[in-house]
Amino acid sequence: MNEIISDSRLYSKTKLTTIFFGLFLLPSMGVGGALFANEMDTLSVRQMDEVVVVSTPKEHNALRLQPLASTSLGQAQLLEKGVKGIKDLSANIPGLFIPSYGSRLTSSIYLRGVGSRIGTPAVGMYIDNVPLANMSSMDQDLGDADRIDVLRGPQGTLFGRNTIGGLIRVFTKNPMSYQGTDLLLSGATYNNYRARVTHYHRPSDRFAFSAGVGYEHLGGFFRNQALGGKHADRADDIAANWRGIFIPSDKVRLDLTARYQWTKQGGYPYAAQQGPDAGQVAYNRASSYLRNLLTLGLNAEHDFGRVMMTSTTGFQFLSDDMFMDQDFSRQDLYSLQQKQKSKTLSEEIAVKSKGTGRWQWTSGVNFQYQWLRTDAPVTFYQEGVDWLSGIINRSLPDLTEQGMGPMSIALKNSVMPMGGIFQTPTLNAGLFHQSAIRLADHLTFTAGLRLDYEHQSMDYDAPGSVDFDFAIRSTRPQNSIALNNLHIAPSFLGHTSRHDWHILPKASLQYDFGQTANVYATVSRGYRSGGYNVQMFSDLLQTEMRREMMAAIDAGTEAYLTDLFAGNPYVPAGHVDMIMGRIRSNMPTVERPDVATAAAYKPENAWNYELGTHLNLLDGRLKADLATFWIETHDLQLSQMAESGMGRITVNAQRSRSLGMEAALQAILSDHLYLDGSYGYTHATLRHSGTDGHPSDYRVPFAPEHTLALGAKYVWNTRGWIQHISLYAGGKANGRTYWTRENDLSQPFYALLDSRLTVVHDNLELSLWGHNLTDTHYAAFSFATRGQVFSQRGTPLQVGLDLRIKL
C-alpha cells in the first residue's frame, strides 16, 4: 500500500490535536460554567436555533421536520468554522468530503460514498434557489451567505438530475429583514488578504436591495522549484453581488439576484513523491487558471390563496481557461490547455399547497438547456515527441529473423498539438409531484414521483498533423528500406448524441412526537447524467495516428519496393508481394476508434434506503440528528487517468454499495458554553466490476471512511468597553481515503485543529484565528501517472486577523 503520509507520523499529529483540543475543552466545561452560570449569553443561544426566513418554492416544513437527513449552518457557525466556500464544508457535515486541491475549476464533492471528480456533479448546488450548472461554477465566494443547508441522500424527486448524492443550498442575507453596511478586512500569513463590503438597504416596505463587492489575494503556500521558487498557487479573486426584492402587492414577490466572480490562479502544486524532486513542486511550464462567472436569477412568487406558485429563472455564463503542465516535471513533455464557454438557461415552475391541512402537495415542471464549447488540445513538445516516438517504436516488429532488420520511425514535429473543439449541448426537462398525507395525528406518509428527460449531443472536430520518417535497417543493404517525409493527418470530425428517460420515485413514513422528536424511513432514487470525455480525444488521435502510420508505411513501402525492382530481370515475379507479406504479417493491427463508444459514459443511478430521527431535548438546549443508510448504485461513474496519462476521463463501474451512519449534535451546556459535533461513517465498495484487474470490494475512491468534526465555544460577558469575548476551538478529521480505483494510493486518517478568539464592542468585531494549528502534514489529493505518484500537500499552519464592522 502506497500511503502518502505514514500512519505513525499522522498518528502523532492526530494525537497532538486531540490533546490540544482536550486541554481547552475540559477547563471550559469544568470551571467556566460555575463562574458565569447566572449570566445569559444570547449569542450562544442563537447558534442553537438560528431562524433565517428563506423562500423554499417546493417545501412546506423546516428541514428538521422533513423525512431526510440534513444539516444547516447559520451565519455564526459559518464564521466560526471559517466557511468562505463549499470546500470549507468538508468534514463539517457528516459524510461530506470536498478536497481542496487544484483550482476553482475542480469541485470534487463526495457525500455518502457517492461523488464526482470531473464530468457532471453528484451533489447539486443552489444559491438563493437558482441552480448552478456544473462543477466549474460551484467553488465561488460565499462571503455573503446567511445560511447553508446540506441535504444528504438522493434529492431527485424534487430537484432532478445530478443530486444523486445530495444537495447544497446557499441562502444570502435578506435585505428586507437586515439593513446596514457590513465591512470585512482580513489579513493572514502567506500573504493572504481579503476585503469585502456589502450594503443592505430598504427604502420602502415594498423594495429592498443589497450590493457588495469583495477582493481576495492569496500569496501561495507552495513554490515551484523549477521556475525559480515562484509560488505555484498564487491567486486573486474579485467578487460582486446584487440582490433586489420587490413586493408590488400582497400577493406577488419578486427576488432578483446577480453574482459575478473573476478568478485568476496559478498552477497546480502537485509534487512527485519519488526521484530527485521528491516532495517538491517542480514543473517547467507555468500553469494557470482564469475564470469569469456570471449567475443571474429571478424568483417570482404569486399567492393564489390556497396555493403558492413560484417561477425560478436562472441564467449562467462561464468562460474559463486552464493551462496545465501535465507531466508535472522538469521534462518538457506535454501540456493541456482547456478553454470552456458555457451558457445555461433554466426555468422551473412549482405550485404548492398552503395551510396545515392533512394533505400537502407540490407539483412542478422544469427545463434546462446548456450550451457548452470546449477547446482541449494536448500539446507535445520536443521531449514529448521523442517520448511518443519511443512508445510507437516499441510496438514495431524486428524483422531480422525474416532476413530484413528492425523497424523504426522518427517523428519530425518539434511541437505537436492533439485535441480539438467540442460542442456538447444538453437539454433536460422534468415533471414532478410530491404529496404528504397525515394518516393519523402523528403519522405522515410522503410519496413523490419525477419523470426526467435528457438529451445530450457532441459535435467534435479533432484534427492532427504528423510528419515522420520510416526505416527498416538491415545488415544487407538490399533489404533496407528508408522512407522520408511521410505525412499523415489523423482526425475525427462528426456528431453523436444520446437521450435518456429517468423515473425518480420517493416514499417516506414519518412519526413525530410533538415538538420533541420524530423518526422516519425513506426510500428514494436519484441519478447523475452521463456525458462525453473530451479529454480522451488525445488518446483517440494517438490511436488513429498509429493506424494511419501503418497505412502510410504499407503504401510507401510497397511503392518503394515496386520502384526499386521495376525492370530488374533478376527479381522473380511476386518478390514484392513476398516481402510485403512478411512486413504485413508482423505489423501491429490498429483499428480506428469508435468515438460514440470510446468517449461516452453512461448515467449513474442509485437507490437510497434510510432510517433517521431528529431529536429536540431539554427545552431545545440539546439537538441530535441520527441516520443510517444503504445505497445501491448502478453504473457508478469513476474518474481515472487516461491510458496515456494525458487527461482524466470518466468510466463506468458496474455497481457500488454504500453502508453507513451519520450523527450530529448541538448542545448548550451553560449560558456560556456551546458544543457541536458531527460524525459520519461510510463503507463504500465497488461491487462486481467484472475484471481481474478491478475485482469487487475495492473501496470507492475519494470516499473517506470516517468524517468527524467537533467544536466548542465559550463566551465571557464583560461590563467594560468590550461587551464580550468568545473563544472557539474546532477540530475536523477524515480518512482513510483512497485515491485510485485499485486502492494502491491512500491518505490515512488525519485531524486538523482550528481556533478563533473574538472580541466585540458594539458594531465592531475583531477575531484572531488559526488553521491547522498543529501543522499536520497530509495529502489533499494524490494520483499516479507514467509510473510516478504525484500529490498536493494540504495547507499548512496559518494564522490571521479579521476585522468586521457594521455601519
Side-chain angles (χ1 to χ4, degrees):
M1 176 88 44
N2 190 341
E3 295 176 352
I4 304 307
I5 306 295
S6 68
D7 281 307
S8 60
R9 186 177 182 185
L10 267 174
Y11 174 77
S12 63
K13 289 284 188 180
T14 304
K15 184 176 181 182
L16 180 59
T17 301
T18 305
I19 293 173
F20 198 144
F21 183 75
L23 289 175
F24 162 75
L25 183 57
L26 291 177
S28 299
M29 292 176 64
V31 179
L35 290 176
F36 301 95
N38 295 323
E39 295 183 30
M40 171 63 75
D41 170 58
T42 56
L43 290 179
S44 62
V45 174
R46 196 186 313 142
Q47 286 192 75
M48 276 298 300
D49 191 15
E50 292 183 276
V51 179
V52 180
V53 179
V54 297
S55 174
T56 53
K58 306 171 191 175
E59 298 163 280
H60 294 82
N61 299 314
L63 272 180
R64 298 187 77 249
L65 299 178
Q66 297 179 35
L68 57 85
S70 62
T71 300
S72 293
L73 297 178
Q75 186 185 15
Q77 291 170 302
L78 296 174
L79 292 177
E80 290 162 359
K81 297 177 184 297
V83 177
K84 298 182 295 181
I86 60 168
K87 291 179 179 177
D88 300 316
L89 294 172
S90 185
N92 283 308
I93 307 296
L96 179 66
F97 180 57
I98 313 176
S100 182
Y101 71 93
S103 68
R104 288 192 185 273
L105 170 70
T106 307
S107 296
S108 303
I109 309 176
Y110 281 75
L111 188 55
R112 291 187 170 182
V114 179
S116 173
R117 278 181 58 197
I118 61 173
T120 53
V123 177
M125 184 172 174
Y126 284 60
I127 299 181
D128 289 329
N129 295 318
V130 178
L132 301 187
N134 50 46
M135 294 171 62
S136 302
S137 62
M138 291 184 173
D139 186 6
Q140 57 177 279
D141 179 74
L142 299 179
D144 58 337
D146 199 31
R147 185 180 112 192
I148 297 179
D149 299 338
V150 180
L151 286 60
R152 303 190 292 276
Q155 305 300 318
T157 304
L158 288 181
F159 295 95
R161 66 195 294 263
N162 302 338
T163 58
I164 188 172
L167 181 69
I168 298 173
R169 301 191 305 193
V170 179
F171 299 99
T172 62
K173 283 184 180 178
N174 188 330
M176 276 289 178
S177 56
Y178 181 86
Q179 288 82 47
T181 301
D182 291 347
L183 175 65
L184 166 67
L185 298 173
S186 177
T189 52
Y190 294 94
N191 292 319
N192 191 3
Y193 306 105
R194 188 175 178 225
R196 183 178 183 89
V197 59
T198 308
H199 180 66
Y200 302 86
H201 187 56
R202 182 178 175 178
S204 71
D205 291 340
R206 296 291 186 180
F207 178 67
F209 72 91
S210 64
V213 62
Y215 170 74
E216 182 173 16
H217 169 76
L218 178 63
F221 296 104
F222 309 103
R223 295 181 181 272
N224 188 337
Q225 301 304 319
L227 294 176
K230 294 181 179 179
H231 283 101
D233 55 336
R234 226 178 124 95
D236 290 280
D237 281 283
I238 298 175
N241 60 275
W242 186 90
R243 183 179 182 185
I245 298 177
F246 178 48
I247 306 176
S249 70
D250 294 339
K251 299 292 185 180
V252 179
R253 180 179 184 272
L254 303 177
D255 189 345
L256 177 64
T257 59
R259 304 178 66 86
Y260 171 77
Q261 186 163 5
W262 174 86
T263 298
K264 182 180 180 180
Q265 293 182 273
Y268 306 81
Y270 301 153
Q273 298 303 300
Q274 299 90 24
D277 290 315
Q280 295 184 334
V281 179
Y283 49 81
N284 64 296
R285 289 184 179 266
S287 300
S288 61
Y289 179 63
L290 180 66
R291 184 184 73 177
N292 285 277
L293 176 65
L294 173 67
T295 305
L296 304 175
L298 174 62
N299 291 280
E301 293 182 357
H302 194 294
D303 188 343
F304 287 96
R306 292 187 177 183
V307 299
M308 176 73 74
M309 185 177 75
T310 304
S311 168
T312 302
T313 306
F315 174 78
Q316 187 171 91
F317 172 78
L318 168 72
S319 175
D320 68 0
D321 184 353
M322 175 191 69
F323 180 84
M324 181 187 293
D325 184 343
Q326 208 166 5
D327 56 78
F328 309 112
S329 70
R330 295 179 187 268
Q331 291 180 283
D332 204 17
L333 296 179
Y334 46 80
S335 66
L336 169 67
Q337 183 166 20
Q338 176 179 289
K339 296 182 180 181
Q340 294 183 115
K341 281 195 176 179
S342 171
K343 301 183 186 76
T344 305
L345 178 66
S346 62
E347 172 64 34
E348 181 171 82
I349 298 176
V351 181
K352 68 177 182 180
S353 61
K354 291 181 61 181
T356 57
R358 302 183 71 88
W359 178 34
Q360 294 180 332
W361 54 267
T362 300
S363 295
V365 294
N366 85 289
F367 164 87
Q368 184 180 83
Y369 183 81
Q370 180 181 25
W371 178 87
L372 174 62
R373 171 187 167 127
T374 305
D375 298 3
V378 173
T379 301
F380 290 85
Y381 305 102
Q382 186 61 65
E383 291 182 68
V385 171
D386 295 340
W387 173 71
L388 193 57
S389 295
I391 294 176
I392 296 172
N393 278 311
R394 284 192 290 273
S395 69
L396 295 177
D398 186 341
L399 301 180
T400 302
E401 294 184 359
Q402 285 77 25
M404 301 182 73
M407 292 183 177
S408 67
I409 64 101
L411 296 176
K412 301 178 67 176
N413 306 65
S414 58
V415 176
M416 187 166 63
M418 287 189 174
I421 299 173
F422 309 92
Q423 300 195 47
T424 52
T426 300
L427 168 67
N428 174 259
L431 177 67
F432 61 91
H433 175 84
Q434 180 171 292
S435 287
I437 303 173
R438 194 182 312 142
L439 302 178
D441 287 342
H442 299 281
L443 185 65
T444 302
F445 175 70
T446 302
L449 187 67
R450 184 187 190 99
L451 178 64
D452 252 25
Y453 171 77
E454 188 158 278
H455 183 274
Q456 297 173 320
S457 63
M458 178 175 64
D459 291 289
Y460 51 91
D461 182 4
S465 179
V466 182
D467 297 305
F468 67 101
D469 296 335
F470 171 76
I472 299 178
R473 306 194 183 278
S474 174
T475 56
R476 292 181 288 180
Q478 65 273 22
N479 288 341
S480 295
I481 297 174
L483 304 177
N484 297 322
N485 301 320
L486 295 177
H487 175 78
I488 58 172
S491 65
F492 292 95
L493 176 65
H495 171 87
T496 184
S497 65
R498 59 176 299 154
H499 68 271
D500 301 284
W501 290 90
H502 298 272
I503 298 176
L504 307 174
K506 175 183 177 180
S508 302
L509 192 64
Q510 176 176 307
Y511 189 88
D512 67 83
F513 300 88
Q515 298 298 315
T516 60
N518 59 51
V519 295
Y520 66 87
T522 295
V523 179
S524 58
R525 187 176 188 268
Y527 85 98
R528 176 154 56 122
S529 302
Y532 297 99
N533 288 304
V534 297
Q535 287 191 15
M536 178 177 275
F537 274 80
S538 173
D539 278 18
L540 298 181
L541 277 172
Q542 289 179 58
T543 301
E544 180 63 7
M545 179 182 73
R546 291 179 60 211
R547 189 186 74 85
E548 292 197 10
M549 274 185 172
M550 299 305 108
I553 290 170
D554 184 282
T557 302
E558 186 170 19
Y560 173 85
L561 293 175
T562 300
D563 183 66
L564 178 65
F565 299 125
N568 191 331
Y570 300 101
V571 176
H575 186 67
V576 172
D577 292 338
M578 179 192 68
I579 296 176
M580 290 304 301
R582 292 179 185 174
I583 294 174
R584 288 167 178 159
S585 64
N586 287 276
M587 290 289 279
T589 300
V590 182
E591 300 292 336
R592 179 175 172 87
D594 178 67
V595 171
T597 302
Y601 55 91
K602 296 184 290 186
E604 171 184 309
N605 59 84
W607 282 98
N608 177 76
Y609 308 90
E610 181 178 328
L611 297 173
T613 182
H614 303 289
L615 304 174
N616 299 284
L617 306 172
L618 303 177
D619 295 325
R621 299 176 72 89
L622 176 64
K623 292 186 178 181
D625 300 293
L626 302 171
T628 62
F629 60 87
W630 179 318
I631 302 177
E632 292 287 342
T633 304
H634 296 265
D635 294 319
L636 177 73
Q637 295 175 14
L638 291 176
S639 173
Q640 65 185 41
M641 296 298 292
E643 255 184 61
S644 63
M646 288 163 282
R648 297 183 178 92
I649 61 173
T650 299
V651 298
N652 292 100
Q654 287 194 10
R655 281 175 37 191
S656 74
R657 175 178 295 164
S658 292
L659 306 172
M661 60 84 62
E662 300 156 345
L665 178 73
Q666 293 179 324
I668 300 176
L669 299 187
S670 73
D671 293 339
H672 304 274
L673 180 61
Y674 165 83
L675 299 178
D676 65 27
S678 65
Y679 171 72
Y681 170 75
T682 303
H683 184 79
T685 55
L686 300 172
R687 309 291 294 175
H688 307 298
S689 58
T691 66
D692 293 336
H694 303 114
S696 62
D697 297 331
Y698 274 152
R699 294 298 182 93
V700 174
F702 275 69
E705 186 174 15
H706 304 279
T707 57
L708 174 66
L710 297 172
K713 180 178 180 181
Y714 194 86
V715 179
W716 291 268
N717 292 319
T718 63
R719 296 181 177 86
W721 187 79
I722 296 176
Q723 275 80 46
H724 65 261
I725 303 171
S726 64
L727 176 62
Y728 175 82
K732 61 181 181 180
N734 64 68
R736 175 179 300 264
T737 305
Y738 294 94
W739 302 118
T740 62
R741 178 173 179 168
E742 294 78 14
N743 288 185
D744 53 1
L745 285 177
S746 67
Q747 167 60 55
F749 183 87
Y750 66 94
L752 306 175
L753 177 67
D754 301 336
S755 67
R756 180 178 291 267
L757 177 65
T758 302
V759 295
V760 177
H761 167 72
D762 290 338
N763 294 326
L764 185 148
E765 178 180 295
L766 185 65
S767 298
L768 173 66
W769 56 267
H771 168 70
N772 191 7
L773 292 177
T774 54
D775 199 23
T776 297
H777 288 222
Y778 65 98
F781 170 58
S782 293
F783 63 97
T785 180
R786 298 184 294 108
Q788 174 69 286
V789 175
F790 293 88
S791 297
Q792 177 176 328
R793 180 187 162 190
T795 53
L797 184 152
Q798 187 181 27
V799 295
L801 194 66
D802 293 349
L803 174 63
R804 285 183 168 82
I805 304 173
K806 180 176 179 180
L807 303 175

